[in-house]
Amino acid sequence: MVIDRFGGEDENYILYLLEIHKRMSNSDLCRALNLSTSTVRKKLAKMEEEGLLIRTYGGAASLDADRDETIGRKSQMNIQQKRMIAAAASRFVRDGETISLGGGSTVAELCTYFLHLKKAIILTDSTVIANLLTKNKGLEVHINGGIVRERTGCVVGPSSDQLFQRYYTDKAFLGCDSFSGQKGIGSDNILVGRVEQTMFQYAKERYILCDSTKLGQDALFSYAKCSEVTALITDHDANPEHVAALRERGLTVIVAPAVR
């Protein structure tokens, strides 16, 4: 059963099913999980309280079908800031390294700099990132297996983190939906967050690319502490108080210059 590949975590399996089907009835979930109706209802009620799904009449629906912006739309938001963040992050890109790249529009801007490398191994959980990088024949691009999220191109599922467990990468460059001193790196999608958590854990150096609108915010799922980050790279519009507070925690914060 697929659920065994989630380590028996019913909640993650429910989220996985809703990722695929968008909405499911209680009876369908009972059959999929081999649980009683009352048990499923209790789990759904608890997950709704935690903000993980929407309960519907006789079932549940995914949050993310309506929450996520498409990658195309995201790429047009704060575009100049994202390009400056990518330019600052490019200082840490080196030939010959093995690098993990998360999904998201800011990381997509960074891909421009990978097109000039002579040789590197790239691991990613994003079909968008993979397509951008295959333009450089010197790059060996690996993408994980799983379900492709229609709106964002990220690949998720019960075994979607296995690729990233097979490599200890030199560096990881990841975007995020939120970043705060208290809760660290946040993702609005738990399944995406769990994959990128593995990418983060198996990298020697960890760079978070975060535009200023996401600083000090909270997301649905937090997967790493500030103390585990090599450097946070943000833009010149970042709130100076947020930046100062993060630096007081010992975090290296790189502020990209203002757009000229």
Side-chain angles (χ1 to χ4, degrees), residues 114-189:
F114 283 82
L115 298 181
H116 303 294
L117 295 181
K118 295 179 180 179
K119 183 179 180 181
I121 297 174
I122 308 297
L123 314 181
T124 185
D125 65 339
S126 168
T127 57
V128 175
I129 300 301
N131 286 334
L132 289 170
L133 294 178
T134 51
K135 297 175 184 177
N136 182 349
K137 301 304 180 183
L139 301 179
E140 182 181 316
V141 181
H142 299 249
I143 189 167
N144 59 332
I147 303 297
V148 179
R149 307 193 70 237
E150 178 183 359
R151 295 173 69 83
T152 64
C154 288
V155 182
V156 300
S159 58
S160 54
D161 62 350
Q162 290 183 356
L163 169 66
F164 309 109
Q165 294 177 13
R166 294 201 296 268
Y167 291 83
Y168 281 95
T169 59
D170 296 296
K171 293 164 185 168
F173 295 91
L174 303 172
C176 64
D177 292 314
S178 70
F179 194 100
S180 71
Q182 292 73 30
K183 295 189 177 180
I185 310 166
S187 172
D188 281 335
N189 184 283

Side-chain angles (χ1 to χ4, degrees), residues 29 51 54 57 70 79 107 115 117 159 182 186 194 206 214 222 233 245:
L29 288 169
I54 300 169
Y57 181 76
T70 63
I79 183 64
V107 177
L115 298 181
L117 295 181
S159 58
Q182 292 73 30
R194 289 197 183 280
R206 301 143 171 181
K214 299 171 183 176
S222 297
I233 306 175

Side-chain angles (χ1 to χ4, degrees), residues 179-181 210-212 215-216 226 232-256:
F179 194 100
S180 71
C210 177
D211 71 68
S212 55
L215 290 180
C226 289
L232 170 71
I233 306 175
T234 189
D235 60 77
H236 191 265
D237 293 330
N239 185 323
E241 293 181 2
H242 287 159
V243 172
L246 292 171
R247 285 173 172 164
E248 285 178 6
R249 288 175 170 267
L251 176 65
T252 298
V253 181
I254 298 170
V255 179

